[in-house]
Amino acid sequence: MNSRESNDSQWNYYEEMLRWLDTHLLRLLAVRAQQGDDYPLDQMRGVIVTEEEVVRLLEAAPQATQLWDAFEERVTACEERLHALHMRDERSVPLLAVADAFSLNRFELGCLFLCLAVELDRKYEKLFGYLLDDITCKSPTPELAMQLFCRTAGERIEAWTAFTLKSKLGRLLLFTEADLSGSGSWLSRPLKLDERMLHFLTTQDGGDDSLPPWLSWSLPGQELEPLAGESGIRLQERFEMVWETAGSDSERLLLHLHGPTGVGKRHLLRHLFHGVERPILLVDVERLIREEAFARKLQQVMREVKLRRGVLCLHQFEACLTEEIQTVGRKQLLIDELESFSGCVAIVATSQWKPGNVLSKRIWLEMEVPSPDDTERRRLWETGSVGLGLSEEIDLGILAGKFRMNAGQIKQALHRANEIAMQTKERIVSLDQLHEACFVQMRHSLEKHAVRLTPKYSWQDLVLPDEQLVLLRNACNQVTYRNVVLGEWGFGRRLSYGKGVSMLFAGPPGTGKTMSAEVVANELGLEIYKIDLSQVISKYIGETEKNLHQIFSEARIGNAILFFDEADALFGKRSEVKDSHDKYANVETAYLLQKMEEYEGVSILATNLLQNFDEAFMRRINYVVKFPFPDPSYREEIWRSMFPVDTPRASDIDFEFLASKLHIAGGGIKNVVLAACFLAASEGKPVSMSHLIMAAKQELKKTGKLLLKEDLGEYAKL
């Protein structure tokens, strides 16, 4: 049956239902007439109450049940035609789908159609207002429903339960305690469809546009991109085996998918349930749990999933795993609904949930969705870049090793880089454009505890002995070629931790530790964040560890380089436990060691006091780079490298003299050169020896050193 035929069948059924309703309304009017329900001021019905009406209400005879028999033939004929339409087009009438999903009895189905009739034909607004003696009331009420569909007093008593808060009609019409406890009698409460139910009952596709933004359906038959990677295929095979084994008990299944953000948990979920031809209702719990009128919104969720007999999928479920006071009570309401829900449930979160004895009647299936490993990431880069014009300088294997991105992020990064390239003449994706696109995908919050550095130094700017340079290059190579060693050569499957690169830079102030960190970041093309220790260390027990956990978690999202400057302030030598302060200081240090080993990115510690680090700590560091105080030859090279090409310089600058007489490291030399340049600029002259001597004198005075005339030799007069 095509959509047009199905739509015609739906409205044919509703037209017949309206005839059925009209028959009941005519019978009720006949009953009213038999009971003497007419008086001279009938045109003012519902506006005034006359003395005659009061007497009639007090002396009214019991309802004339014989009129039921008079109308029974007409009602039966309508119901026979309805049954024939139902049997012919069983799946094309949303009203019947609702009745089937909620197991509505005859009375409940009649009440639901009463609410729909007002929306199908406005004549019922007038009819209901007349019958209810209230021209302002345009919706049916429990009293009207009982008069129409209840033949005896016993039936009326049974019908009372149909309008309670947790009844089937209560869930369909979303009754709340406020609705049932407002002004007026309980029997006079208006019954009304909300927008979503109206759309569902009148549109063939359910009218998903009427759903709130935190609800959406994923239906079988929708085209899905294939699963990327072997891990997803293995998880699908495992699910299919469990589903087949469960058989009729599959409705008790509770699937718990967990894994890092962006690894494709919902994409996998769609594949799993579309494979068994089940629709999925996706609920954004993080948004739902913060909604006003939460209980009503939760009731809407449970109604929605029953309407299509779908799988209830709660994603962003980690919002329920926090201990926020405002969410604790709401979490319990959600758990209560899950316990009473008779269908299949899926819970998607970034972290594992262990409910204990809660939901013990469910068939529990837990699956961890891992981040793609180096080999899988390389395959994703290669398949995603097919058809794109990539620069020859781009090595997709190196990208896979540097950026720990998931399938969706890789796809978006390639798409964005291609968009940027299309705006250039070459129309070729460059390495810089691809790096920029990758950084856009890294959504983290490291700025709360760290400052992002913009690397401007390269290997040419770094003046260090060969031994230190070799160590730094080796560290960079460990990141660059990790896809080969950990992926192709199989070490990633052998190592459970320690896959990252940790470095310790030790040396006096100004010897190039921060510059080297920037050079490493520049070489690898990664973001580098300098940790603000004042935002990390806390006097409160456990807060420091909490801050460290947040830093490493956020860094993992962007695979950023973590640079802990002055690290000895936080990671100093562990001491013997003499008091509680020593005990918790050691706990913080041990926690750092654990997080560094778990982190698969690059972490750099810089310290002026190498002796403060004990052997256990040093053993966990991959590269220890000792920055020596530069000797005269290195100092001369540093002096010369400090001046940009555009800086005007006088011919009297003696770099060899400055290097031999001024015992300052690279950081101090930078300060001297910069101060001398400002002195020269203020005088409108090129930078000369006199400017450098004057700036050096100021720099040395900061550290308590004096620049004596006899040390300056021929430049003493300056």
Side-chain angles (χ1 to χ4, degrees), residues 591-700:
Y591 187 77
L592 168 78
L593 295 176
Q594 174 189 335
K595 301 308 291 184
M596 287 183 64
E597 286 186 314
E598 293 174 357
Y599 186 50
E600 296 189 13
V602 180
S603 53
I604 302 174
L605 313 177
T607 179
N608 301 330
L609 304 171
L610 183 60
Q611 65 273 18
N612 276 8
F613 292 84
D614 62 20
E615 293 182 4
F617 196 103
M618 298 289 283
R619 189 174 61 252
R620 289 172 169 86
I621 303 296
N622 298 123
Y623 297 93
V624 178
V625 184
K626 299 178 182 179
F627 289 75
F629 192 88
D631 61 22
S633 61
Y634 283 111
R635 290 203 296 271
E636 182 178 348
E637 190 176 345
I638 294 172
W639 276 103
R640 293 181 183 277
S641 66
M642 283 294 174
F643 288 93
V645 177
D646 299 329
T647 305
R649 293 182 293 176
S651 58
D652 65 340
I653 297 179
D654 188 343
F655 289 111
E656 184 178 356
F657 177 85
L658 292 171
S660 61
K661 295 298 182 181
L662 300 178
H663 295 270
I664 51 179
I669 294 174
K670 180 196 71 174
N671 293 339
V672 171
V673 170
L674 198 59
C677 289
F678 279 108
L679 287 173
S682 66
E683 297 175 3
K685 298 178 181 180
V687 181
S688 65
M689 194 68 173
S690 63
H691 297 129
L692 290 169
I693 294 296
M694 187 179 301
K697 181 180 179 181
Q698 296 172 358
E699 180 67 20
L700 291 171

Side-chain angles (χ1 to χ4, degrees), residues 237-250 253 276:
E237 292 174 351
R238 180 185 170 199
F239 172 82
E240 290 172 351
M241 182 183 68
V242 172
W243 184 272
E244 184 178 353
T245 304
S248 59
D249 286 336
S250 58
L253 181 68
V276 294

Side-chain angles (χ1 to χ4, degrees), residues 383-414:
T383 55
S385 60
V386 173
L388 300 181
L390 300 184
S391 171
E392 293 181 357
E393 63 178 335
I394 296 176
D395 187 322
L396 296 178
I398 293 176
L399 280 174
K402 285 197 299 187
F403 295 102
R404 300 185 67 252
M405 298 165 63
N406 57 61
Q409 290 174 318
I410 291 173
K411 180 181 177 181
Q412 291 297 323
L414 286 167

Side-chain angles (χ1 to χ4, degrees), residues 5 65 175 206 230 232 295 369 383 390 472 494 539-540 672 686 706:
E5 291 175 343
T65 57
F175 292 162
E230 296 179 359
V369 185
T383 55
L390 300 184
L472 291 174
R494 296 288 298 275
K539 66 180 180 179
Y540 298 105
V672 171
L706 297 178

Side-chain angles (χ1 to χ4, degrees), residues 76-302:
T76 302
C78 286
E79 290 181 347
E80 287 177 352
R81 291 192 295 271
L82 286 171
H83 180 71
L85 290 172
H86 180 198
M87 296 303 295
R88 188 178 67 187
D89 307 314
E90 183 176 357
R91 298 184 179 181
S92 62
V93 183
L95 179 69
L96 297 179
V98 174
D100 184 46
F102 284 81
S103 302
L104 300 183
N105 60 31
R106 184 176 178 179
F107 175 77
E108 292 163 338
L109 180 61
C111 291
L112 186 61
F113 189 75
L114 269 181
C115 300
L116 180 61
V118 181
E119 309 293 347
L120 298 179
D121 193 333
R122 290 196 62 189
K123 76 176 184 181
Y124 293 102
E125 293 181 353
K126 294 181 179 180
L127 288 172
F128 293 165
Y130 176 83
L131 292 170
L132 293 170
D133 292 344
D134 185 356
I135 60 173
T136 64
C137 184
K138 300 179 180 181
S139 300
T141 64
E143 170 63 19
L144 179 60
M146 290 179 181
Q147 290 182 15
L148 284 172
F149 307 130
C150 294
R151 183 169 185 170
T152 64
E155 290 180 358
R156 285 177 61 92
I157 293 174
E158 290 180 5
W160 272 72
T161 58
F163 302 103
T164 59
L165 191 63
K166 294 186 178 182
S167 65
K168 298 171 187 176
L169 285 179
R171 291 181 176 274
L172 282 171
L173 304 179
L174 297 184
F175 292 162
T176 65
E177 292 182 3
D179 296 329
L180 302 181
S181 61
S183 59
S185 68
W186 178 79
L187 289 173
S188 64
R189 298 284 185 271
L191 304 177
K192 190 172 180 62
L193 298 175
D194 65 353
E195 182 182 0
R196 172 57 184 159
M197 276 302 299
L198 176 60
H199 275 75
F200 190 88
L201 292 173
T202 55
T203 59
Q204 198 62 38
D205 61 356
D208 289 351
D209 290 341
S210 62
L211 290 174
W214 39 267
L215 270 185
S216 62
W217 278 102
S218 179
L219 304 177
Q222 293 179 348
E223 187 175 351
L224 297 176
E225 293 186 7
L227 290 174
E230 296 179 359
S231 60
I233 296 174
R234 288 196 300 269
L235 291 175
Q236 185 176 30
E237 292 174 351
R238 180 185 170 199
F239 172 82
E240 290 172 351
M241 182 183 68
V242 172
W243 184 272
E244 184 178 353
T245 304
S248 59
D249 286 336
S250 58
E251 293 301 314
R252 295 196 296 115
L253 181 68
L254 193 153
L255 173 64
H256 177 31
L257 292 179
H258 61 91
T261 301
V263 294
K265 297 186 289 294
R266 275 178 287 171
H267 181 60
L268 172 62
L269 185 80
R270 290 185 177 97
H271 271 276
L272 299 182
F273 285 105
H274 287 191
V276 294
E277 298 184 349
R278 293 297 302 273
I280 309 167
L281 180 64
L282 298 165
V283 185
D284 188 338
V285 177
E286 187 175 19
R287 297 178 66 177
L288 168 63
I289 207 164
R290 287 170 173 78
E291 284 278 331
E292 295 183 8
F294 170 76
R296 187 182 184 91
K297 298 296 175 62
L298 180 58
Q299 196 173 346
Q300 180 182 2
V301 169
M302 305 312 294

